[in-house]
Amino acid sequence: MGRVALVGAGPGHPDLLTMRAARLLGEADVIVYDRLVGPQILELARPRAQRIYVGKSTANHVLPQKEISALLVRLALDGKRVVRLKGGDPFIFGRGAEEIEMLAVHGIPFEVVPGITAAAGIAAYAGIPLTHRDIAHSVTLVTGHLQDETADLDWPALARPGQTLVVYMGLLGLPVICRELVAHGMPATTAAAVVQHGTLPTQRVITGTLADLAERTADARLVAPTLIIIGEVVRLCGTLDWFQPDVISEVAAAWPESRPVIA
Ligand SMILES: C[S@@+](CC[C@H](N)C(=O)[O-])C[C@H]1O[C@@H](n2cnc3c(N)ncnc32)[C@H](O)[C@@H]1O
């Protein structure tokens, strides 16, 4: 019997991996990884380790979720030490629970290694504190992957003052998100930002307000992955944006767009 480690790879920069993640990567027989895991992180695996890409993009579902879970079970029953590597933290919009549920059903030993979630990593690298004693007392993480345009989110709660909203997977829905927040009472002057490729050399931060962020973002032609941060804390990035993307230009910029599945 092998074992599976469900490992968070952090937001992109390899130095943001946990030590536990790096150690397990160096010991694994097989790495099963997603689109948001950069090539430099995979280099920490043993050269002989098998690498299996199961990533998804909006348009291109490489391997359905059930098959990913079945693959993990099969590999572990084969006696392999498997690292299931996912971007950010596996339990935050990562479907990590679904994958380990199947392992539990089959009695396969597993562990979960937390990662720096996009909200924490990207806010730090964009110079945007998610909470601030004078400005925001809570943070809400939501998915912007809207099923029917507006109905999915609790807009009245999200529009309340004194908080910061972080929207994952929200680029396509950005105009709707800004419009609904304003319609539910958030001032159109509220500061907001979209961050592309946070923590990587290709990081770009577009700031604005709920009134103009969607237009500014469209003009900037940002590409996924992007994270939206909404709240007055965004104004602080003018003075706190310490990160100069070029300083770490040794880190490969490319996100693996699509890779063959080696099952
Ligand atoms: C399926 S969710 C996975 C989130 C992940 N489990 C985490 O904890 O960060 C993918 C979304 O995370 C956000 N994201 C992840 N890494 C990012 C990065 N480096 N820059 C900007 N957004 C990122 C984007 O909104 C992307 O669409």
Side-chain angles (χ1 to χ4, degrees):
M1 176 72 88
R3 53 184 299 117
V4 177
L6 178 65
V7 176
H13 192 293
D15 289 359
L16 296 176
L17 273 183
T18 62
M19 290 177 73
R20 181 83 188 138
R23 184 171 304 142
L24 287 167
L25 269 171
E27 292 169 359
D29 302 309
V30 187
I31 319 289
V32 180
Y33 67 99
D34 274 352
R35 191 170 65 100
L36 293 182
V37 175
Q40 294 226 334
I41 290 175
L42 290 174
E43 279 170 18
L44 296 171
R46 294 184 304 150
R48 284 201 314 276
Q50 188 185 3
R51 291 156 172 77
I52 302 177
Y53 176 67
V54 293
K56 299 180 277 270
S57 63
T58 314
N60 169 25
H61 282 250
V62 173
L63 209 60
Q65 192 64 45
K66 272 198 179 134
E67 289 180 34
I68 296 175
S69 306
L71 172 67
L72 297 178
V73 170
R74 209 166 60 236
L75 289 166
L77 290 176
D78 258 7
K80 303 282 197 271
R81 287 165 300 175
V82 183
V83 163
R84 171 66 176 115
L85 197 57
K86 301 177 83 77
D89 181 273
F91 279 178
I92 297 188
F93 302 127
R95 305 187 74 169
E98 292 164 55
E99 296 185 11
I100 55 174
E101 259 166 32
M102 177 102 98
L103 299 174
V105 167
H106 286 80
I108 290 165
F110 62 85
E111 71 172 276
V112 182
V113 180
I116 295 182
T117 190
I122 289 153
Y125 272 63
I128 301 172
L130 294 179
T131 65
H132 187 290
R133 206 158 51 137
D134 302 326
I135 305 172
H137 298 107
S138 65
V139 187
T140 304
L141 311 184
V142 291
T143 168
H145 192 65
L146 307 175
Q147 301 293 340
D148 74 351
E149 285 256 301
T150 61
D152 321 47
L153 295 176
D154 182 356
W155 298 111
L158 297 179
R160 277 189 208 120
Q163 61 175 328
T164 305
L165 304 181
V166 182
V167 187
Y168 290 65
M169 297 166 278
L171 189 60
L172 286 178
L174 181 61
V176 175
I177 291 164
C178 294
R179 191 186 68 216
E180 288 298 317
L181 288 172
V182 173
H184 286 82
M186 193 179 267
T189 52
T190 304
V194 180
V195 184
Q196 164 192 288
H197 294 189
T199 77
L200 289 169
T202 43
Q203 171 171 310
R204 290 175 67 198
V205 183
I206 305 297
T207 55
T209 64
L210 287 181
D212 64 10
L213 186 67
E215 199 181 327
R216 283 173 182 241
T217 302
D219 289 347
R221 296 177 182 277
L222 297 189
V223 289
T226 60
L227 193 78
I228 304 167
I229 305 178
I230 299 170
E232 290 305 320
V233 286
V234 169
R235 296 195 191 279
L236 296 172
C237 81
T239 41
L240 304 182
D241 66 335
W242 59 273
F243 175 54
Q244 302 295 320
D246 285 338
V247 172
I248 55 161
S249 57
E250 79 276 9
V251 180
W255 288 96
E257 276 310 318
S258 62
R259 288 161 184 260
V261 179
I262 318 154

